[in-house]
């Protein structure tokens, strides 16, 4: 595991289109998950301890975000040959275990992770209703892979603001996690 931080938010960068296979065996594209008031694109995987530390909270908050008109998708881009815990079959199990109400899709060629400049898991991209980037920060503060407080997460606060104003917070704390496992 190599600890990696996300870069500063590149405000107003447009979301990149994709069409990827979901754990429900459906092709999912950007237009399928575009929300009325915003869209959250998350790069996650099954094995990362940083993802595991927050995934239950993410699953819960995505439901609350949906009520604000924000739709979500999680993309898994890791090398599954060298990281079999992230295989498609294990993605299906991971999504069921954590009661995902959002599509969990595989980026087996890693083309989409590269288009988005994703660097770690978790890596969050929060877009406004026009699919312009407004948030690229952490989910919540962690210490020793434990959530520090049970208050509203940084991600939820940012996405709520985006849903109301179309603009993300000017102050954002980078997300950090395991680097994406690139295919060699």
């Amino acid at each position: 595991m190599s600890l990696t931080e996300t870069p500063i938010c590149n405000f107003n960068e447009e979301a990149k289109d994709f069409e990827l296979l979901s754990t429900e065996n459906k092709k999912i594209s950007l237009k399928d998950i575009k929300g009325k008031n915003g869209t959250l694109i998350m790069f996650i995987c099954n094995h990362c301890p940083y993802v595991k530390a927050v995934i239950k909270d993410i699953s819960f908050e995505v439901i609350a975000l949906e009520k604000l008109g924000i739709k979500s998708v999680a993309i898994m881009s890791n090398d599954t040959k060298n990281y079999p815990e992230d295989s498609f079959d294990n993605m299906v199990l991971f999504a069921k275990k954590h009661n995902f109400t959002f599509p969990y899709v595989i980026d087996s060629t890693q083309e989409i992770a590269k288009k988005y400049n994703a660097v770690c898991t978790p890596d969050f991209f929060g877009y406004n209703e026009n699919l312009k980037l407004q948030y690229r920060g952490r989910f919540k503060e962690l210490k020793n892979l434990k959530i520090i407080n049970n208050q509203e997460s940084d991600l939820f606060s940012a996405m709520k603001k985006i849903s109301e104003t179309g603009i993300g917070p000017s102050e954002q704390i980078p997300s950090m996690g395991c680097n994406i496992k690139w295919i060699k």
Side-chain angles (χ1 to χ4, degrees), residues 85-147:
E85 195 175 337
D86 291 332
S87 72
F88 187 78
D89 289 342
N90 285 327
M91 287 174 59
V92 171
L93 297 173
F94 193 77
K96 284 181 183 168
K97 177 181 178 183
H98 296 290
N99 302 310
F100 284 9
T101 57
F102 52 90
Y104 189 23
V105 299
I106 189 163
D107 174 23
S108 55
T109 65
Q110 302 185 320
E111 175 187 341
I112 303 308
K114 289 174 183 168
K115 278 185 181 180
Y116 276 82
N117 241 353
V119 296
C120 62
T121 57
D123 198 345
F124 302 101
F125 294 78
Y127 295 90
N128 64 18
E129 73 279 2
N130 298 316
L131 294 173
K132 303 284 187 184
L133 186 63
Q134 296 296 314
Y135 187 73
R136 180 129 185 232
R138 71 181 180 186
F139 177 72
K140 204 177 232 188
E141 185 179 4
L142 297 178
K143 184 175 183 175
N144 299 324
L145 295 173
K146 302 276 186 246
I147 292 175

Side-chain angles (χ1 to χ4, degrees), residues 11 15 22 30 34 39 49 57-58 63 71 76 78 87 93 100 118 158:
F11 283 95
S22 77
L30 181 61
K34 182 183 183 296
T39 303
D57 290 87
I58 288 171
I63 294 167
K71 288 193 173 184
M76 202 301 296
N78 278 352
S87 72
L93 297 173
F100 284 9

Side-chain angles (χ1 to χ4, degrees), residues 158-177:
M159 294 308 297
K160 182 178 176 185
K161 182 179 189 306
I162 291 165
S163 76
E164 294 167 349
T165 67
I167 299 168
S170 57
E171 297 287 321
Q172 300 181 13
I173 299 169
S175 182
M176 57 185 203

Side-chain angles (χ1 to χ4, degrees), residues 18-82:
F18 58 83
E19 186 177 72
L20 299 169
L21 184 65
S22 77
T23 55
E24 310 249 311
N25 234 14
K26 297 177 187 166
K27 289 280 189 176
I28 302 292
S29 70
L30 181 61
K31 71 175 170 50
D32 296 327
I33 56 96
K34 182 183 183 296
K36 181 179 81 161
N37 295 325
T39 303
L40 175 61
I41 298 175
M42 307 172 275
F43 286 84
I44 68 168
C45 69
N46 308 332
H47 87 274
C48 173
Y50 291 89
V51 172
K52 287 179 177 180
V54 297
I55 197 63
K56 285 181 183 163
D57 290 87
I58 288 171
S59 292
F60 175 76
E61 286 195 3
V62 162
I63 294 167
L65 288 173
E66 183 116 14
K67 292 174 183 167
L68 299 175
I70 295 170
K71 288 193 173 184
S72 305
V73 66
I75 301 174
M76 202 301 296
S77 299
N78 278 352
D79 172 3
T80 58
K81 182 179 177 196
N82 290 307

